[in-house]
């Protein structure tokens, strides 16, 4: 099926990442064909970094890996959905989800009630 | 906050649409600034059609409208998440979700167990 996926002009396809148990949406990321193949081979989410122009196993630095439970392609074959088991939190800020900031109907931010689930400064500090 | 959103070079930002009650991911679509403002004003999802180059209220043809319950922006301000109340189904094929096709770890399609929730041929037939 991968050959039928509609990658954009940069060879990328968006992937929505959802917690398999709670169904909370954790993040969206971009994948290319090699990162999809590596994800399936390892059973762990692997993305394409547009800024670093390389693919990477999610959690290789933080330990916050994502184990694939189910995955789906949409009706247009241009978006993927992965249900995963998250170790730690998905967001580089330390929150469980990248979507921790709710907005109101005037597009103003609501007060964030939840707390980070890990210490991002500690997790991502440069090694000595 | 809308002025802080990171739209791509086409002025678009991806929006993930999730059922507010079941948390099922229903679809992904693209929005531009006018479609976001119209969504907030009406309280109903409104998208930008890349193929038709116009914005449209989801459900204006099918009746399958999407009422906004909550919405969020991600940590990078480049993806939106809407929790909505769906009338009928979200997918133009008649399924509840655009992500009805599960794949296995060899990227082969699994048998679809669910049934469409509406008759797409009937819903979208040209008016007489």
């Amino acid at each position: 099926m991968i050959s039928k996926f509609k990658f954009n002009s940069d060879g990328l396809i968006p992937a929505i990442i959802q917690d398999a148990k709670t169904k909370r949406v954790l993040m969206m990321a971009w994948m290319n064909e090699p990162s999809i193949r590596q994800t399936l081979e390892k059973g762990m989410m692997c993305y394409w970094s547009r800024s670093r122009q390389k693919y990477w196993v999610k959690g290789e630095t933080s330990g916050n890996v994502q184990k694939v439970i189910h995955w789906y392609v949409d009706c247009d074959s241009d978006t993927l959905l992965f249900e995963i088991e998250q170790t730690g939190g998905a967001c580089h800020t330390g929150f469980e989800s990248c979507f921790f900031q709710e907005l109101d109907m005037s597009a103003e931010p609501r007060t964030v009630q939840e707390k980070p689930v890990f210490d991002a400064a500690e997790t991502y500090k440069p090694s000595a």
Side-chain angles (χ1 to χ4, degrees), chain A residues 1-124:
Chain A
M1 284 287 286
I2 296 177
S3 60
K4 293 181 187 164
F5 292 174
K6 288 183 197 146
F7 296 93
N8 70 11
S9 56
D10 294 323
L12 300 175
I13 189 168
I16 300 165
I17 312 303
Q18 181 176 37
D19 186 289
K21 275 193 194 144
T22 67
K23 307 296 182 193
R24 184 171 190 185
V25 175
L26 301 176
M27 56 187 282
M28 200 194 84
W30 294 84
M31 301 178 84
N32 60 4
E33 190 168 331
S35 71
I36 295 172
R37 294 195 186 281
Q38 202 185 34
T39 292
L40 298 180
E41 193 182 311
K42 293 181 185 290
M44 309 298 272
M45 292 307 302
C46 174
Y47 301 112
W48 177 253
S49 168
R50 292 182 295 174
S51 53
R52 289 180 288 160
Q53 290 285 307
K54 57 175 276 194
Y55 62 93
W56 52 291
V57 178
K58 169 74 177 171
E60 65 187 352
T61 304
S62 62
N64 293 341
V65 293
Q66 298 175 326
K67 183 182 171 188
V68 179
I69 308 296
H70 298 286
W71 73 298
Y72 307 84
V73 64
D74 81 339
C75 54
D76 295 325
S77 302
D78 63 4
T79 309
L80 305 177
L81 171 66
F82 286 85
E83 290 188 354
I84 59 99
E85 192 179 288
Q86 175 75 56
T87 300
C91 186
H92 73 286
T93 60
F95 283 98
E96 180 193 18
S97 164
C98 293
F99 297 95
F100 58 85
Q101 182 60 69
E102 186 176 357
L103 304 174
D104 66 18
M105 293 302 273
S106 305
E108 292 303 318
R110 291 192 191 275
T111 305
V112 178
Q113 304 286 352
E114 65 187 307
K115 301 292 177 200
V117 294
F118 67 93
D119 182 341
E122 181 65 25
T123 301
Y124 294 109

